[in-house]
Amino acid sequence: MTARDDIDAVEADSVTPIRDDPSALRLMMRNRGVFWGGMLLAVMVMIALFGPLLTGDPIALNPIKRLKPPSGELFFGSDFLGRDIFARVVYGARISLVVGLAVAAISVAIGLFIGMIAGYIRILDGIIMRVMDGLMAIPAILLAIALISLSGATLTTVIIAITIPEIPRVVRLVRSVVLTVRDEPYVEAAIAAGSRLPLILHRHILPNTIAPLIVQATYICGSAMLTESILGFLGAGIPPEIPSWGNIMSEGRTYFQISPWIIFFPGIALAMTVLAVNVMGDGLRDTLDPRVARKM
Amino acid sequence: MLRYILIRILATIPVMVIVAAFVFLMLRLSPGDPASVIAGDYATAEDIARIREKLGLNEPILVQFVNWIGQLLRGDLGTSIFSNLPVTTLIGQRLEPTLLLTLTTILFTVIVAVPLGTLAAWKSGTLIDRFVMLFSVGGFSVPVFVLGYILIYVLAMTLKVLPVQGYRSPFEHGLGPFLWHMVLPTLTLSVIFIALIARMTRASVIEVLQEDYIRTARAKGQSEFTILLRHGLRNAAVPIVTVIGIGIALLIGGVVVTESVYNIPGLGRLVLDAVQSRDYPIIQGLILFFSFVYILINLLIDLSYPLFDPRIRY
């Protein structure tokens, strides 16, 4: 969703920049979005870590209790095989968060590397950016569906398939930062002082990319979780025996008219998690001065 | 002017070639033998050989690529493995619902999102603005299909005011039934798009409203409505139109999901059926089709800037 970047670019204009403040973390937490988004996300992480230890078995079949509505015993009801939706939703938090974090981390790492090269090595810039333009023109969901259908559906292939379309956004962002920073006097001074390229990149360029990348990573995390659930829902994602939120909802489709809770509860859990990530991202963007990020 | 248009059109060619190369390499570089992946678990050796022959996988890779580009230039997107029909024919058969759904969605989105964003910008900092922003963040966070099911549950199953699923062609069944069945899919698909456009409209109108000529217009005693519309929105149009174009990518992904939720026999369903039957040429053809449409729409939008802002001249 590159459109987000353009919104950021315009919205960022009304933001007062904060630079090199020693209490940056405290300032960030003072932002309401960062605080509430972060709290909600922390709760989801706790649920993902410890929840499955407390609930029942998410894959235990109980044919006598098929398609039961929510009750005191089955908080979120049960599905067509009598499995406990509550236990499955709690377990699904693990999958969603793992996918979100993995996609964000990998795409930022790869994008950072390619973006630095594009921004600093002039000959490669044109080629790399045309390839990125091409990659961005391919609809992300279709690309992911094709990659997964070719290489077989596992957690790893799903993560890779969601990561690839996200990389160009990171590359564009990093490249734009590098292009603004490389002409700064302190970089010229470092060159004049005889610093080698790796040192310049590491000491002078890299630190400038961190703030916009943190913001970008939160958005990628949110959209990756959505894409994962869409792939699962379409039956093109993680193998159906793993209770991810998308898979639970996919299985609930047939029974939607009689048991809508099979789709609603994982849907609410997913929306809450993505909302938390997005609200946190907006807050971070307002706090971390993305002014550099807008020059794309 | 003409020169700029020509350069801009030529500039899309490398991007298209890269899309084609990427789609081409995706099949060849995927782990394992692509022919046996496509043939499935129960395929015989002959089946695999037949598919390999059909996809031209026996040739050297460079020959394959040149053949493939040659095919594309002739408007040939390949042939379906199972139905043996050209992919372009299959796309033609399924195009109507997808095209109409996309058009109703874009229309509805612009009608709702642009006034909403302008209102939020005008009342920026107030409760109305907060509400629009909240809706926008929410729109980005709810998966399309969950929204679809919520709408079906409330409007079709509980209130029974709209049909649950299905598609009626306006050419066979008339405009009434068509629109009747389009309301829910359009609403579903619009939400994320409205979130995007309303936010962009708000952001760019806020920026424009800080300009000196807005103060001048106020000083002249022009009505707030004229200021917002003629001075504000008009000058904020270019970024809004740009984001509509970029948002098409979002819309294409959403179409696949929405068609699946509402059982609409469009291109999205064609993709999913192709995935089920591992009919790779169809998947490949559709990716190319959608990417090229995306590139062309953004080219057109780029060229239309002077319509929205006469200061832009090529």
Side-chain angles (χ1 to χ4, degrees), chain B residues 212-271:
Chain B
D212 290 339
Y213 52 78
I214 299 291
R215 201 180 329 112
T216 312
R218 285 221 168 91
K220 278 199 308 190
Q222 276 189 327
S223 73
E224 280 297 300
F225 187 74
T226 318
I227 291 173
L228 272 181
L229 223 67
R230 291 236 328 249
H231 302 270
L233 196 56
R234 183 110 202 246
N235 282 297
V238 168
I240 299 171
V241 176
T242 309
V243 96
I244 292 177
I246 296 170
I248 298 286
L250 216 65
L251 213 55
I252 291 171
V255 161
V256 179
V257 182
T258 310
E259 286 183 359
S260 168
V261 170
Y262 291 100
N263 236 330
I264 297 171
L267 293 178
R269 284 280 301 284
L270 186 60
V271 177

Side-chain angles (χ1 to χ4, degrees), chain B residues 149-293:
Chain B
Y149 280 112
I150 292 173
L151 289 174
I152 291 180
Y153 186 74
V154 175
L155 292 169
M157 282 165 59
T158 311
L159 301 174
K160 297 193 192 324
V161 288
L162 288 163
V164 175
Q165 283 181 327
Y167 174 75
R168 298 286 180 275
S169 167
F171 307 107
E172 284 169 42
H173 301 88
L175 201 62
F178 161 72
L179 289 175
W180 196 236
H181 282 83
M182 254 340 183
V183 175
L184 283 182
T186 304
L187 274 178
T188 308
L189 191 53
S190 299
V191 167
I192 191 168
F193 210 37
I194 292 176
L196 178 73
I197 312 285
R199 234 177 124 154
M200 190 66 195
T201 309
R202 173 186 174 275
S204 43
V205 172
I206 284 184
E207 200 174 82
V208 171
L209 288 183
Q210 287 163 355
E211 296 284 343
D212 290 339
Y213 52 78
I214 299 291
R215 201 180 329 112
T216 312
R218 285 221 168 91
K220 278 199 308 190
Q222 276 189 327
S223 73
E224 280 297 300
F225 187 74
T226 318
I227 291 173
L228 272 181
L229 223 67
R230 291 236 328 249
H231 302 270
L233 196 56
R234 183 110 202 246
N235 282 297
V238 168
I240 299 171
V241 176
T242 309
V243 96
I244 292 177
I246 296 170
I248 298 286
L250 216 65
L251 213 55
I252 291 171
V255 161
V256 179
V257 182
T258 310
E259 286 183 359
S260 168
V261 170
Y262 291 100
N263 236 330
I264 297 171
L267 293 178
R269 284 280 301 284
L270 186 60
V271 177
L272 294 180
D273 293 346
V275 169
Q276 294 280 307
S277 58
R278 296 165 187 269
D279 201 334
Y280 194 74
I282 298 184
I283 305 178
Q284 195 167 272
L286 277 168
I287 292 182
L288 282 172
F289 175 76
F290 279 124
S291 309
F292 289 173
V293 167

